[in-house]
Amino acid sequence: MEARGGRVVGALPVYRWRLAPDGYATRRQLRALGLRPGGQDVAAELQRPRRRRGPLVAYLYRIDRAKPVRPMTPGRRAALAKAMTARRTCPSCRRDAGYCIPRSLGMCVPCSDTPTA
């Protein structure tokens, strides 16, 4: 099960950064290919070492077991648009800020910069 820098820890093979064999992909890589994991379990781990902390871990999925991304339906598109509008609307001034309101502020930047008396 060891291939080009891979080792087995528990039940999952672990590969070092950039040494995963062909046929494996992360969620983002699957999405770029128009695929999704489709209910499959994690097939392997990818670890990127860091100097002062533990390694960064990415989970890998098998490309041959991945399923195509579900198409966007009109109802899903409408629900997504409504959710994004809610994230962009300032609760203070009720205007569309043009960007997602930061959760740390809870309102648009002009409203948070205005001193309250």
Side-chain angles (χ1 to χ4, degrees):
M1 210 169 222
E2 295 193 22
R4 294 185 349 181
R7 64 189 169 119
V8 178
V9 174
L12 286 179
V14 177
Y15 298 98
R16 288 185 53 88
W17 188 249
R18 297 188 180 179
L19 294 178
D22 293 336
Y24 290 98
T26 62
R27 282 183 179 268
R28 283 189 179 197
Q29 291 168 337
L30 286 176
R31 188 66 174 194
L33 296 171
L35 301 171
R36 62 187 169 96
Q40 67 173 302
D41 291 331
V42 174
E45 259 185 29
L46 187 66
Q47 291 188 352
R48 180 179 182 186
R50 296 190 290 182
R51 291 179 190 242
R52 291 186 172 87
R53 299 192 311 230
L56 287 175
V57 176
Y59 297 112
L60 299 174
Y61 300 90
R62 301 252 323 251
I63 294 175
D64 59 344
R65 293 185 184 168
K67 295 180 180 176
V69 173
R70 295 183 188 117
M72 184 69 77
T73 63
R76 282 175 127 186
R77 191 177 309 277
L80 184 60
K82 189 174 178 181
M84 290 307 294
T85 301
R87 288 184 66 191
R88 294 166 41 140
T89 303
C90 176
S92 270
C93 62
R94 303 310 246 170
R95 286 187 292 192
D96 185 346
Y99 54 87
C100 289
I101 305 291
R103 290 178 63 189
S104 59
L105 298 177
M107 58 185 77
C108 64
V109 174
C111 287
S112 70
D113 287 345
T114 305
T116 57

